[in-house]
Amino acid sequence: MHKLAATVLPGPRVLKGWLYVLSGALLALIPMIPAGVSAVAWTPPAARPWTLALFTAFFATLMAWPRFIRDAHAHFASVLLGVRVPQPRTHTWPDRVRASVWVVAHCAGGALLAGLTFAVWLSAISPVLFWLDGGNSIDYYFFTMEVPGDRSGLWTLPLAFAEIALLGLFAAALIAVYRRFAPLFLAPRAAERVAVLEERTAVLTQRDRLAQELHDSIGHTLTASTIQAQVAGQLMDDDPELARKALASIEESSRTALEDLDHVLGLLREGKAPRAPHRTLADLDALLEHVRRTGTEVTSTVEGVLPKVPATVSREAYRIIREGLTNALRHAPKAPVKLKVDAGPRWLTVELTNPMTSAGSSRHGGSGLVGIVDRVRLLRGEVAFAPVVTAEGERWRLFARLPIRSGA
């Protein structure tokens, strides 16, 4: 009984549902104007009621083709019917057909409910008015009914309430039908929802990659700049010219990092999928020169033809080298670094070593190394980083091997 009362009796949810269904009657007036003109011009008087309905349905179908009509129905169905109808992302011909069916059903249901509401309220109130006016005979639907003017005419009150309650039950049933089928006709199709999910996943993946890229880029810049500032401070009195070069390098690298950061933040504010600048092994010499300006000796050996390395592999190899150099600067400042890059016919190998220090023995859990592992695994390569004992003593070694060809 409580659920029945909540469905029929006035309330925010019920009134919104009534408003949505009755809005279909107002919407039906738009196609009824050209439909009425067409019915009068092309059909005989006896057939005009049927042709008016057909022409109205036809023009309502055409009216549903613009995308904004479907978008508006999805929005108002969500607000007034209380169902979740996501905004559609596409508007193909199947979408137009579904929207047309819904618009025609909305117009028909709205016109039906509006007509019944007017007729039922009139038939419910008329006996009560005749009773209050002293009684009289009344044509009630398909028969004539005598309404007395004394106390015996009180039966007109429960009759009126019964008719209004039946109207409420019918409206509640109609609203329930609209709530049930609104997502089916207005919400995005399964393929469209999958496409939206894939798009969101791509954006999140790109932003996660961006976060790792910012960590690598800005982390490298800050580490190198810190060491260069220390070098400049030490050389300020003995070699001012070299100190000025170190400060100029700090300024240049900091400006580049700020430009990259401003670019990324601007894209994030606009809600776009950010694309950070992609550097490859073609930028390796500039990276090594930037590290050498910190006073760190870097010995590099390059074998093979780097320009022939696929762009994806070249980009990830550059990031691996940059992260390895950053770790070397952070944990073993000014210690000599050896880098070997070998671009073979099937594999690209990167090996970076530097002397171990007391600070460099705790390099296992950094997010930079985790990012290297993720990159290498994504390309189905191999990676290892650990202390090793060589003829030169104990050294930290980073080794990565990336397949150049998919069948490697």
Side-chain angles (χ1 to χ4, degrees):
M1 181 62 69
H2 174 72
K3 291 183 178 180
L4 178 61
T7 305
V8 178
L9 294 178
R13 180 179 171 87
V14 175
L15 293 178
K16 286 182 178 180
W18 274 67
L19 180 61
Y20 180 82
V21 178
L22 290 176
S23 66
L26 297 176
L27 185 65
L29 295 177
I30 300 176
M32 281 184 66
I33 296 175
V37 174
S38 302
V40 171
W42 296 340
T43 60
R48 283 174 185 172
W50 297 102
T51 54
L52 177 62
L54 291 175
F55 282 136
T56 301
F58 173 74
F59 286 112
T61 300
L62 296 181
M63 184 178 64
W65 284 4
R67 176 167 182 166
F68 75 91
I69 296 293
R70 182 185 175 209
D71 293 344
H73 271 81
H75 173 72
F76 285 109
S78 299
V79 174
L80 298 178
L81 291 179
V83 294
R84 185 177 180 273
V85 183
Q87 284 291 326
R89 302 292 294 271
T90 63
H91 196 57
T92 60
W93 281 107
D95 299 325
R96 290 187 177 95
V97 171
R98 293 190 301 138
S100 298
V101 173
W102 181 261
V103 170
V104 171
H106 189 197
C107 292
L112 177 61
L113 183 59
L116 284 176
T117 300
F118 176 78
V120 168
W121 276 92
L122 183 62
S123 65
I125 294 176
S126 295
V128 177
L129 294 178
F130 273 87
W131 168 58
L132 294 176
D133 196 41
N136 203 340
S137 297
I138 181 174
D139 291 331
Y140 195 75
Y141 292 105
F142 303 106
F143 56 90
T144 301
M145 182 174 59
E146 187 71 25
V147 178
D150 53 12
R151 291 183 179 180
S152 60
L154 284 173
W155 57 268
T156 57
L157 294 178
L159 176 63
F161 284 120
E163 289 191 61
I164 295 174
L166 289 175
L167 175 64
L169 287 174
F170 174 80
L174 191 58
I175 294 171
V177 171
Y178 278 112
R179 288 192 177 119
R180 171 66 178 81
F181 289 100
L184 179 63
F185 287 94
L186 297 176
R189 292 171 290 132
E192 189 178 350
R193 291 195 294 269
V194 171
V196 172
L197 182 60
E198 290 177 349
E199 180 181 345
R200 290 178 179 174
T201 302
V203 172
L204 293 176
T205 302
Q206 183 67 20
R207 290 185 176 184
D208 182 67
R209 175 180 287 273
L210 175 67
Q212 185 63 50
E213 180 68 17
L214 286 177
H215 167 271
D216 295 347
S217 176
I218 297 180
H220 172 79
T221 300
L222 292 177
T223 301
S225 297
T226 300
I227 296 176
Q228 287 175 334
Q230 294 175 350
V231 172
Q234 295 172 358
L235 297 176
M236 190 64 68
D237 296 329
D238 299 335
D239 194 342
E241 183 63 25
L242 188 58
R244 280 193 291 268
K245 289 182 179 180
L247 293 175
S249 178
I250 294 174
E251 180 184 3
E252 178 184 353
S253 59
S254 299
R255 183 182 297 111
T256 302
L258 285 175
E259 289 175 355
D260 289 346
L261 183 60
D262 288 342
H263 171 71
V264 170
L265 292 178
L267 290 174
L268 289 175
R269 292 190 190 101
E270 295 173 6
K272 298 178 181 178
R275 293 186 176 272
H278 295 318
R279 296 180 176 86
T280 64
L281 291 176
D283 304 297
L284 181 59
D285 290 340
L287 175 64
L288 297 180
E289 181 61 26
H290 184 258
V291 174
R292 291 188 180 107
R293 290 177 183 175
T294 66
T296 300
E297 179 185 350
V298 181
T299 304
S300 62
T301 303
V302 178
E303 299 179 1
V305 183
L306 296 184
K308 292 186 177 181
V309 177
T312 301
V313 178
S314 181
R315 181 174 63 247
E316 299 306 330
Y318 175 88
R319 293 172 174 173
I320 292 171
I321 295 172
R322 183 177 60 188
E323 181 61 28
L325 291 173
T326 302
N327 283 338
L329 292 176
R330 183 180 296 120
H331 299 287
K334 297 185 180 181
V337 179
K338 290 186 177 181
L339 171 66
K340 181 179 180 181
V341 181
D342 184 4
R346 298 180 60 189
W347 296 89
L348 173 70
T349 59
V350 173
E351 184 178 18
L352 191 147
T353 61
N354 61 276
M356 287 287 295
T357 64
S358 57
S361 59
S362 58
R363 284 194 264 180
H364 294 280
S367 58
L369 294 178
V370 173
I372 290 177
V373 173
D374 292 339
R375 291 190 179 101
V376 174
R377 287 179 177 174
L378 184 63
L379 296 177
R380 298 182 180 179
E382 302 172 2
V383 62
F385 43 85
V388 294
V389 178
T390 66
E392 300 173 334
E394 189 176 13
R395 301 179 66 86
W396 177 267
R397 176 177 179 264
L398 169 64
F399 177 83
R401 191 168 75 149
L402 306 175
I404 292 180
R405 295 183 301 176
S406 57

